[in-house]
Amino acid sequence: MRKQFVKTENYSRFTAGIQAVEQRGAAEAGMMLVHGAPGFGKSHIVGHWAAESGAVFLRANVDWTPKYCLVELAKAMRVDPSGTAQQLFSRLLERVVETQTPLVIDEAEFTLHQNAAALEKIRDLSDRAEVTVVLIGMERIQQSIARHRQLSSRIAQVCEFTPSTMADVAQACRQLSEVVMSPELVAEVHRLSGGRMREVLNVIAAVERLARLNGLDSMDVADLEGVALSFDWQSRTARTVRKAGGR
């Protein structure tokens, strides 16, 4: 499989949201919330943006405290992580103001423990340095943050990641697959994946593997009828390719 970045509709909505945050009127409203079900490409897309923009990308842990959060951020920004939380915050604020580095917090649910104490530290950095902060979470994180008025009032944009469209999957197959897929097979990739880009990649890899085993450089539905290319973990059943023209 080729190593390329696919610009999906979720990517387009995310970058439009980022642009809106960066052009905001209220300097302190510098947060963007990205949420959605697992497998829709949140971390991958935001991580790609972070790499391109020079943002710091952190993944929160279940045991994050305000100090733990600051220490992890200091390590990522090559700031001395020693001393008290107050001393560490001061050093970090100086560095963030100087560099204007955007911050990304993945698994942001873990910042909401202890009355969102860890996220309050991130919010304080964002307020004072006037930098963009992207929070990535699951479907219900928006409701959880809404309970904290001081935090929710700082969120300038919300981007919900949704299932990949047929056009997204077709683009992924064109860019990533080293095997030519017929339009009918691409439609099956979309159906089998349920629009989850993570699963799209798994199905593409399975198609490529079968093509190599059979010495083929192109594949159609007829080549894979009845073959399991995906697995539904909820129902614990294999997802197989339908017959050509089947329902």
Side-chain angles (χ1 to χ4, degrees), residues 37 70-71 83 86 96 102 162 167 180 187 193:
L70 293 177
V71 168
Q86 184 177 0
V96 174
T162 57
V180 178
S193 67

Side-chain angles (χ1 to χ4, degrees), residues 39-52:
F40 287 169
K42 301 184 299 296
S43 299
H44 179 67
I45 286 174
V46 180
H48 177 82
W49 169 79
E52 286 197 328

Side-chain angles (χ1 to χ4, degrees), residues 111-124:
T111 67
L112 299 176
H113 300 326
Q114 300 178 342
N115 201 30
L119 188 52
E120 282 288 0
K121 288 295 183 184
I122 299 296
R123 190 271 308 166
D124 203 6

Side-chain angles (χ1 to χ4, degrees), residues 15 17 44 47 55-56 65 67 72 83 88 94 102 107 112 122 150 157 166 170 190 202 211-212 217 232 235 246:
T15 51
H44 179 67
V56 170
T65 62
K67 178 69 178 293
E72 290 297 295
L88 181 51
E94 183 178 355
E107 307 284 356
L112 299 176
I122 299 296
Q150 182 81 339
Q157 291 287 315
M166 181 65 201
H190 182 250
N202 289 336
R212 285 195 297 270
D217 55 11
D232 187 335
S235 64

